[in-house]
Amino acid sequence: MSETPPPRDFDVRGLPWLGLATLALAGAGFVLLADLRGAIAAVVLGVAWYALPAPYAVAVGHLLLVALLPPESGIEAIQVVGLVPVEAGLLGLLATAAPRIDAPARFAVALVVATAVLVGVAALGFLAGGVPGAAAALAVVAGVLGYGLHRYERLRLGLIEAPPSDSRIESGSDTATGPETDPTIES
Amino acid sequence: MRATRRFWGVVLLAALLAGLAVLLERPVLLAGTASLAAWLLAGQYRFFARLAAAEGTTAVDQTLSRERVATGESTAYSLSVSRPDPSPLALSVEAGVPLAATADGESRSIDLDPGQREARLGLTLSWPVAGRFSCSPASVVATDPAGLLVETLSLGSTPSIDVEPRRPRNVHVGEGGEVVSAAFGEHESGRSGTGFDPAELRKYVAGDAASRIDWKATARLAEPYVREYESETERRTALLIDHRAALGEGPSGETKLDYLGHVALAFVGSARQLSDPIGCFAIGEEGLTARHPPAATDESYARIRGTLQDLQPTGGNAGASGNGTAQSGGADTLSGAVEARRNPAAARHMADRLTDDDAFDTTLLPYFRATESYVRRISGDPLFGALRRDIANLNGPVWTVILTDDTRPERLREAVTVARRGDNRVLVFLAPTVLFEPGGLADLEAAYDRYVEFEEFRRSLARNPGVSAFEVAPGDRLDAVLASGRRRREQRRAGRA
C-alpha cells in the first residue's frame, strides 16, 4: 500500500523560469502604460504572483490595469502598445502556472484558442450591448462550452447511465394496479 | 468530471471581475474574465485528455484467494493498480469489496501519486454471511494535478466468491462405513388385507366376505377365489433427539447435533410427504426440553421442524467444547468472549458465571434461564426417562427413532431395551464422537481404533430384535479413518508375505 500523497496545491508553479519571463513581459507592459506607476504596479504584480495562486495574480493584474488606465478612457483610449504585453504576460502566467505539465504546448494552444474565442465573443457582445452585453455573452458562451465539455467527457468515457426502462411508464398504465394488469409481471 | 471548490473559486473570481466591469464600466476587466474562463476550459480539456488515456492504460486487478468458503472463514484479497507511463493524474483506488465482507484493515483504498506507476493493497476479508458475492469494479478517483477537477471511473476485474453456510455437508448415514438406503419413505405393512395395490389371489375359505370374491378369477379358474390387496398403514414415528452438552461437539455448524438434526428433519419431511403422524421429544441435560406427541397436521410438522432447527446443546460446557476457537482461545480471552456472544450455547456457558450479587448479572440472568426451559425435568438419565414415560404411554405401535451419540453406551442400551417393548421398532442414529472431536483425526490410527470400538457398539445394538442402528457422520472424515484402517491391513498383509 502506498503512503498518503502530499497535499496538492494548484499554485505550485510548474515552469518557474518561464513564469518569471511572462511576469517580466507583463511588468514591461505596465511600465509602457504608466511609467513609474506602471513600475510600481509591476512590483505589486510580482508580489501577487509569488504569494497568490496564478488565477488570483491575474485578477490582481487586471485590477492594476484598471487603476493605471484613466477611467474616462473607454475602449478607444486603451493603449494597445502597453496593453498587449500586459495581457500576453498575464496569459503566460496562467499557462505556466499548472504544475507538472506533461504537454505544455498543447495546453498553451488550447488556452490561447479558448481565450481568443472568448475575447471575440466579448467583443461582439460589447458591440451589441456595451459592457453588460459583453459580460452576458462571456458568461453564456463560457458556461455552454464548459458544460458541453463535461457532457462530452461523460459520453466518451461511458459514464452516462441509461435511464431505467419502465414498461409501466411507457405503456401509460396505472402503476398502482395489481399483478393482473402489470405488464412487467405478466411478461 | 466534478468541479472542486478550487474550480468554483476561480469561477467566482471571474464572475467578480465581470461584475466589476459592469459596475465600473471598465471593459478591460472582461479581459481578465475571459482569461480565467479560458484557463478553466483549457484545464477541462487537458483533464479529459489525461483521463481518456488513463482509462485505456490503467490496469486494475482484484483477486480473491479462494472461490468458495464457509461462513466465518477468511480469504486474502488483493488489489493492484499499474499504469505503463507515469501520469500526472493522481489516482485514489478504492477496493470493490462486497458489502457482505468484513475487512481487517481500516483503509480500503490505495493512492497513486502523480508519476507513480503501481501500487498494491492486501486485505483479509472474512465472510459472516452466506451467499454468492461479487466484487464491484474498483472505484478509481482521478484528480487533476491542479486540484480543479475530479472524476470517478469504475475499473477492474470483479471476482466472485461462494460463501456457504456452516451446516452438515456430506452427511453419511450408514453401517460400518457403508451407506444405507433411506430408512424413511413409503412403507409397506408386511401384511395383506384390504387396500388398493393387488397382492395375490387365493382360494376362498369359509369366513371370507362374499364382497371380496374376485368373480373374474372365479369364472376363469372354476373355483371361488379371493384377491388380496397390499394393506397400507400409517406409521407413527417418535423422534427422540438428544441435545445434551456432548452433542455440541464438532466445528461450529457441523456438530453432532447439526448432523443428527439433519437426519431428524429428513424424517419430518418424509412423514409430511406421506401424511404420517410424527412426534418429537428433545432430550436436554435435565429432562425434556420439547415434547410434541405424534400428530399428522401441518401445524405439528411445522412445530417439530422449528424445534429441531432451534435446538442447541444444553448446559455443561457444550459451547466451549463445540467450538474450536472458543476452546482454544479460552472463555476468558476477548476472542472467547466474542465467540461466546455469537454462539448461544457458549453464551449460556459464559452466563454460568452470572451471580445474583451484581445488578448487571441480575438483569441478564432471566434471559439465559429462559433459554433452558424444560417441559419436564427428569431425574436420572433423561433419555431413558423420556422413553419410559413418554414413549411407552403412546397408544399403539410406534416407530421410535433415537438420535444421539456414543458417549453413554450403557445408558443407551437400556433406553433401547425400553423402546423396543411390544411391537415397536427402534431406529438408532449414532454420531461417533471420534469423528467430531477437534483434532480427533490427528492420529488416524488411534482414530480408527476408536471407530472400531464405536462400530462394535453399534453392531451390538443392531443385534437386538427390532432394532436398527446407523452411524451419522461427516463422510469425508469417515473415509479418512477407514482409509487409514485399510492401509494398516495392507501393511500387515505385506508384513506376513
Side-chain angles (χ1 to χ4, degrees):
Chain A
M1 205 172 84
S2 68
E3 293 177 0
T4 308
R8 289 179 289 273
D9 204 347
F10 76 132
D11 63 347
V12 174
R13 286 156 184 81
L15 302 168
W17 294 110
L18 204 53
L20 279 174
T22 56
L23 181 66
L25 182 63
F30 277 128
V31 172
L32 281 175
L33 278 173
D35 297 331
L36 182 59
R37 288 194 304 133
I40 295 169
V43 172
V44 172
L45 179 65
V47 172
W49 177 77
Y50 184 77
L52 297 173
Y56 295 90
V58 169
V60 169
H62 282 91
L63 291 174
L64 290 170
L65 266 180
V66 170
L68 293 179
L69 294 173
E72 69 281 2
S73 59
I75 193 79
E76 298 84 2
I78 291 176
Q79 299 173 26
V80 176
V81 179
L83 191 59
V84 167
V86 171
E87 289 295 344
L90 292 176
L91 203 60
L93 289 182
L94 284 175
T96 57
R100 304 181 188 92
I101 294 177
D102 52 345
R106 198 162 64 175
F107 177 70
V109 168
L111 180 62
V112 168
V113 169
T115 307
V117 169
L118 292 178
V119 167
V121 167
L124 288 175
F126 184 80
L127 292 175
V131 177
L138 254 183
V140 170
V141 172
V144 167
L145 287 177
Y147 184 72
L149 206 52
H150 162 71
R151 295 300 297 175
Y152 179 66
E153 177 255 358
R154 295 193 71 75
L155 186 69
R156 274 288 305 275
L157 298 179
L159 299 173
I160 297 175
E161 292 175 6
S165 59
D166 192 337
S167 58
R168 286 175 295 188
I169 294 171
E170 286 167 9
S171 64
S173 65
D174 187 0
T175 55
T177 54
E180 288 143 9
T181 56
D182 190 339
T184 58
I185 294 173
E186 281 176 355
S187 61
Chain B
M1 59 187 86
R2 297 193 312 277
T4 64
R5 289 178 66 183
R6 283 179 176 174
F7 184 94
W8 290 116
V10 177
V11 170
L12 189 65
L13 191 63
L16 198 65
L17 287 178
L20 279 175
V22 174
L23 281 176
L24 303 174
E25 292 191 348
R26 304 301 298 270
V28 72
L29 287 173
L30 287 177
T33 303
S35 302
L36 295 179
W39 186 67
L40 291 176
L41 286 172
Q44 268 187 279
Y45 164 72
R46 185 181 55 195
F47 181 60
F48 163 61
R50 286 171 176 170
L51 205 58
E55 192 210 18
T57 57
T58 305
V60 180
D61 191 29
Q62 300 185 97
T63 55
L64 290 167
S65 60
R66 295 166 67 184
E67 292 179 350
R68 188 180 295 271
V69 292
T71 49
E73 287 185 344
S74 298
T75 52
Y77 164 91
S78 72
L79 168 67
S80 64
V81 186
S82 63
R83 48 189 178 190
D85 302 313
S87 166
L89 280 184
L91 301 181
S92 174
V93 185
E94 186 171 348
V97 174
L99 284 176
T102 310
D104 60 344
E106 286 183 3
S107 175
R108 291 189 179 191
S109 63
I110 47 175
D111 298 311
L112 246 75
D113 295 337
Q116 193 179 345
R117 291 192 179 186
E118 61 179 15
R120 286 179 188 281
L121 171 72
L123 292 172
T124 302
L125 303 181
S126 57
W127 303 89
V129 182
R132 182 172 174 79
F133 305 104
S134 295
C135 292
S136 51
S139 174
V140 181
V141 179
T143 307
D144 180 39
L148 295 171
L149 298 159
V150 171
E151 186 56 279
T152 305
L153 303 171
S154 295
L155 299 174
S157 51
T158 57
S160 298
I161 187 166
D162 288 314
V163 184
E164 295 177 345
R166 282 189 179 276
R167 63 184 176 196
R169 278 172 289 180
N170 195 6
V171 181
H172 164 89
V173 179
E175 296 172 322
E178 298 293 325
V179 178
V180 295
S181 57
F184 36 85
E186 290 191 10
H187 38 84
E188 294 172 355
S189 64
R191 300 170 187 161
S192 57
T194 56
F196 296 102
D197 296 329
E200 61 174 348
L201 280 172
R202 65 168 173 81
K203 284 184 180 175
Y204 176 84
V205 292
D208 284 339
S211 61
R212 295 184 61 193
I213 295 172
D214 185 329
W215 294 108
K216 287 183 180 174
T218 300
R220 196 166 56 246
L221 299 169
E223 274 186 282
Y225 269 78
V226 170
R227 184 174 292 278
E228 291 283 7
Y229 291 87
E230 183 65 41
S231 173
E232 291 181 356
T233 181
E234 61 178 19
R235 173 180 289 165
R236 293 206 312 158
T237 306
L239 298 174
L240 269 94
I241 184 157
D242 187 352
H243 66 115
R244 285 175 284 184
L247 275 292
E249 205 151 33
S252 175
E254 297 172 30
T255 62
K256 291 177 192 173
L257 183 59
D258 292 319
Y259 274 79
L260 292 173
H262 199 75
V263 175
L265 285 169
F267 268 97
V268 177
S270 172
R272 181 176 186 171
Q273 201 175 2
L274 300 169
S275 300
D276 277 349
I278 190 165
C280 179
F281 301 83
I283 313 295
E285 208 68 49
E286 297 173 27
L288 278 179
T289 58
R291 183 176 180 277
H292 303 294
T297 62
D298 285 343
E299 292 79 19
S300 66
Y301 296 134
R303 260 200 310 274
I304 293 171
R305 281 185 67 86
T307 299
L308 292 171
Q309 284 164 346
D310 292 343
L311 276 186
Q312 294 288 338
T314 57
N317 57 354
S321 67
N323 189 298
T325 310
Q327 189 181 39
S328 59
D332 290 331
T333 62
L334 180 61
S335 63
V338 170
E339 226 22 81
R341 205 167 57 233
R342 289 177 180 168
N343 183 332
R348 281 197 295 275
H349 171 58
M350 295 287 285
D352 289 344
R353 301 177 186 183
L354 300 177
T355 62
D356 290 328
D357 304 335
D358 187 74
F360 179 73
D361 290 6
T362 312
T363 308
L364 286 182
L365 265 173
Y367 295 99
F368 288 100
R369 280 177 180 154
T371 58
E372 276 198 6
S373 58
Y374 283 86
V375 175
R376 184 161 55 77
R377 292 184 185 272
I378 299 172
S379 58
D381 184 57
L383 180 63
F384 183 83
L387 278 163
R388 200 181 56 189
R389 284 192 54 176
D390 294 274
I391 306 298
N393 289 343
L394 296 174
N395 294 325
V398 177
W399 224 40
T400 307
V401 180
I402 300 172
L403 302 116
T404 184
D405 68 349
D406 59 345
T407 49
R408 301 173 184 86
E410 290 313 314
R411 297 279 177 84
L412 180 59
R413 213 184 295 278
E414 290 169 11
V416 169
T417 308
V418 172
R420 67 182 177 84
R421 279 178 189 163
D423 283 345
N424 290 349
R425 283 204 62 193
V426 182
L427 278 177
V428 184
F429 289 90
L430 288 170
T433 300
V434 63
L435 298 180
F436 288 89
E437 280 177 345
L441 302 191
D443 182 353
L444 278 175
E445 293 205 354
Y448 180 74
D449 291 338
R450 290 180 62 194
Y451 176 74
V452 169
E453 279 178 34
F454 164 83
E455 176 60 14
E456 284 169 1
F457 171 60
R458 187 198 64 76
R459 284 183 186 175
S460 72
L461 283 180
R463 275 195 289 272
N464 290 315
V467 178
S468 303
F470 304 98
E471 66 207 352
V472 179
D476 48 349
R477 293 173 75 88
L478 179 59
D479 289 344
V481 170
L482 293 175
S484 164
R486 275 195 298 274
R487 274 198 304 276
R488 190 198 290 184
R489 284 196 297 275
E490 284 165 9
Q491 284 169 0
R492 281 180 187 163
R493 276 195 216 109
R496 283 190 206 122

